[in-house]
Amino acid sequence: MTETTDPGSGPADHPGPGDAAEGTRAGMSHSTRSAIEWVAVIVGALVVALVVKTFLIQAFYIPSESMVPTLEVGDRVLVNKLSYSTGDIDRGDIVVFARPGGPGSDGIEDLIKRVVALPGETVEGRGGQVLIDGRPLAEPYLPDALETSVFPPYVVPEDHVWLMGDNRGASDDSRRFKAVPTDDIVGRAFVVIWPFTQLGTL
């Protein structure tokens, strides 16, 4: 007895129009799912980047010569915005802060300087040096033979710090706008990330 096969009985051998439609729908479903996943990844990455920039770490560009030779024009630094949420401001820290009086004519909103005097201290410029409570301040980060201009004694108020640029002859700092409220400090600059040849901690 010879076996026969019904020509229309094998979907694997002869896919019908309905099967082709199902395959198309499956392909579209996979493509849609992949697209949604990629959108979710991109949105997630943007949210993380925004959170990091807003609350944790932000890169800043150095626009002026006020911190030469420690920082050159065009350098980029990372600023830790949480530094002073968990610890005190220390003398010698390099900090980014809101420009007193708001953005200047150059559009710059934030400045970067070094913490020189702390709350309650009397700071003064005399004899080419900075004096803290009448005693000369050791500043090994300054170039040899660099002198600080004369300025009168000033008592730093509570919750304020006295900030100065390392390039004392080309820095608009607390000698003009006095002490800066600690609430105006964005964070502490802790590493140079550009150029790569200058990569290092501060």
Side-chain angles (χ1 to χ4, degrees):
M1 182 174 178
T2 303
E3 294 185 0
T4 60
T5 303
D6 184 348
S9 65
D13 297 328
H14 301 282
D19 298 317
E22 288 180 9
T24 301
R25 285 196 296 270
M28 289 178 63
S29 175
H30 178 74
S31 299
T32 301
R33 187 168 60 249
S34 295
I36 292 173
E37 289 172 349
W38 274 109
V39 169
V41 168
I42 293 170
V43 170
L46 290 174
V47 169
V48 170
L50 181 62
V51 169
V52 169
K53 179 179 179 180
T54 302
F55 299 106
L56 302 178
I57 294 174
Q58 185 175 350
F60 282 85
Y61 168 82
I62 307 303
S64 74
E65 299 179 344
S66 70
M67 285 297 293
V68 171
T70 306
L71 295 170
E72 301 285 347
V73 176
D75 285 357
R76 284 172 171 77
V77 298
L78 289 183
V79 171
N80 182 351
K81 293 186 170 184
L82 290 180
S83 282
Y84 304 126
S85 298
T86 57
D88 295 330
I89 299 174
D90 295 321
R91 192 190 328 278
D93 287 355
I94 297 174
V95 298
V96 170
F97 59 100
R99 187 174 192 160
S105 58
D106 51 12
I108 296 174
E109 298 180 357
D110 300 304
L111 301 178
I112 184 166
K113 309 291 179 187
R114 191 183 294 274
V115 177
V116 171
L118 301 171
E121 295 181 334
T122 298
V123 59
E124 177 185 2
R126 175 159 45 93
Q129 294 181 292
V130 171
L131 280 67
I132 302 294
D133 294 334
R135 293 184 293 274
L137 175 65
E139 298 189 275
Y141 41 80
L142 297 182
D144 293 340
L146 184 145
E147 294 190 352
T148 300
S149 61
V150 174
F151 60 91
Y154 177 88
V155 179
V156 181
E158 187 175 352
D159 298 325
H160 287 64
V161 287
W162 182 273
L163 304 171
M164 298 178 72
D166 289 356
N167 188 2
R168 297 288 159 80
S171 176
D172 184 19
D173 51 36
S174 287
R175 288 171 291 179
R176 182 183 67 80
F177 48 69
K178 306 306 179 188
V180 172
T182 53
D183 285 346
D184 288 350
I185 293 179
V186 176
R188 181 177 67 87
F190 67 98
V191 64
V192 178
I193 59 171
W194 181 265
F196 291 137
T197 54
Q198 301 298 321
L199 185 67
T201 56
L202 293 168

